[in-house]
Amino acid sequence: MSERHGSKRLVVGAHYGLRDWMSQRATAVLMAIFTIVLLVQVLMPGPMGYDKWSGIFAAQWMKVLTFVVIVALAWHAWVGVRDIWMDYIKPVWLRLVLQVGTLAWLVGCTGWALQVLWRL
Amino acid sequence: MAQTPRPSFTNIHITQIVGYRMPLAAVVSILHRISGGVMFLLLPLIVWLFDTSLSSEVSYERFVAAFDTGIGFVPGIVVKLVVLGLIWAYLHHFTAGLRHVRMDVTHATTKAQGRRSAAFTLVFSLVLTVLLGAKLFGVY
């Protein structure tokens, strides 16, 4: 096996960005399905109120789908925001601070959203 | 071993952006990034809207009131405008993302196709934003 650490570490190459690219598409398709499912139910005739709105999220399959989408959104946002930092932020220390901050931000928001979903 | 300076390749400088005529696909691309960044920064507001609209009937009342009387010191009209911006950001990001998936799947990557789908993305997301925004502002 060739040495892959120190100055010979793998920085670029085939398959390196494939996982990010692929997960960006997979999570996007999941969120698109959720968006369409939600829009169809919201646009159903009848006045919008708490009963109709909470009724949409009352079905168990919708709760499971929403759970999956919340996790997918966090993953998707992590890949996207990390791309922004890598494009514009050159100092490594600042990039690290922003990436750690991004993770904390996303984990916090994901936890809050799941807590809301759990209570329903 | 002496370090030889690595060649650096840069895009156009930030001061050149204003005078640069971007093709439509580039407009969609940068708006895709900006809309994503805005939604990331406003994520707590989005989760708050999810929380108050869904948790209970009482919190739903607060959710509705946020658009009329505002949240804290932020007036209702500002809440409406910010949410309108979020609606556009979501719809643009959604459409531009599906445009990418379509290009990946069908290899529809000619210059003409790129321009056409970019125009469609801008128009489609703006029309949907106007439709949903009209509902937000109580036009119908």
Side-chain angles (χ1 to χ4, degrees), chain A residues 84 88, chain B residues 27-41 88-89 92-93:
Chain A
I84 296 180
Y88 304 130
Chain B
V27 173
V28 168
S29 177
I30 192 62
L31 288 177
H32 197 175
R33 174 159 281 192
I34 291 169
S35 58
V38 166
M39 286 188 289
F40 168 75
L41 291 176
W88 170 81
H92 180 85
H93 209 85

Side-chain angles (χ1 to χ4, degrees), chain A residues 58-70:
Chain A
Q60 188 59 40
W61 65 267
M62 187 60 178
K63 281 186 186 146
V64 174
L65 179 61
T66 308
F67 179 91
V68 172
V69 163
I70 290 170

